Amino acid sequence: AQMNALLHMAVRWLPPALLLAVAANQLRLASSADLTPWCGGGFGMFSTVDGRFARHLHAYAVSPSLRIELEIPFELQEQAQSAVALPSDSRLRAFARELEPYAVTDFEAPDAIRIEVFTTRVDPGTLAPSGVLLRALEVPLARP
């Protein structure tokens, strides 16, 4: 009977505990890795316009004398959207590694790939939107 009561209590408190865990993780990722409030658990999504639709990504092949913007290939669009939604250093680094084969230029071999993620901020007085750098990471490329 006591085991049954403990099981009943565990089942009763499991959903609220999971909800609190998801909310805590959402807050952690939003503050430490710039997770958009529209992703993860969705907590805070109606209090901001900062969603995937308000963010964009630029990738560059860079060296001391070169900075060329890379076009994101179709087959990497899903990874780009993931990097935009949660631009953690590890996710941006992984995305840069996936872009490495596309960074070949006619001029010289790049030393690194730079990934920049921007979000849109709205001026409260004028309601004018502007792009703001949210996170950037430069990933050195391995030399053969």
Side-chain angles (χ1 to χ4, degrees):
Q2 185 179 8
M3 183 65 145
N4 194 18
L6 285 174
L7 182 62
H8 178 70
M9 185 185 312
V11 168
R12 182 174 160 198
W13 288 103
L14 184 62
L18 287 174
L19 183 63
L20 288 173
V22 168
N25 191 44
Q26 167 92 15
L27 291 171
R28 181 185 65 80
L29 289 173
S31 66
S32 67
D34 295 313
L35 173 70
T36 173
W38 284 84
C39 294
F43 296 95
M45 64 189 213
F46 294 116
S47 65
T48 182
V49 296
D50 183 22
R52 278 190 218 178
F53 56 86
R55 292 182 175 190
H56 61 279
L57 177 144
H58 294 276
Y60 301 93
V62 295
S63 69
S65 62
L66 177 76
R67 180 179 164 116
I68 296 177
E69 186 164 5
L70 302 172
E71 187 173 327
I72 307 301
F74 177 77
E75 56 270 12
L76 296 181
Q77 288 296 322
E78 189 173 318
Q79 293 89 328
Q81 286 302 311
S82 293
V84 164
L86 178 60
S88 64
D89 285 352
S90 62
R91 189 165 281 184
L92 294 181
R93 191 172 294 108
F95 185 62
R97 295 281 179 231
E98 292 187 65
L99 276 174
E100 191 169 350
Y102 302 94
V104 177
T105 69
D106 294 334
F107 306 107
E108 65 181 90
D111 294 330
I113 293 180
R114 180 174 174 82
I115 308 288
E116 298 177 350
V117 177
F118 290 82
T119 188
T120 302
R121 297 280 192 252
V122 178
D123 182 273
T126 64
L127 299 180
S130 62
V132 176
L133 181 64
L134 188 62
R135 190 169 284 220
L137 184 71
E138 195 163 301
V139 179
L141 299 180
R143 291 289 186 170

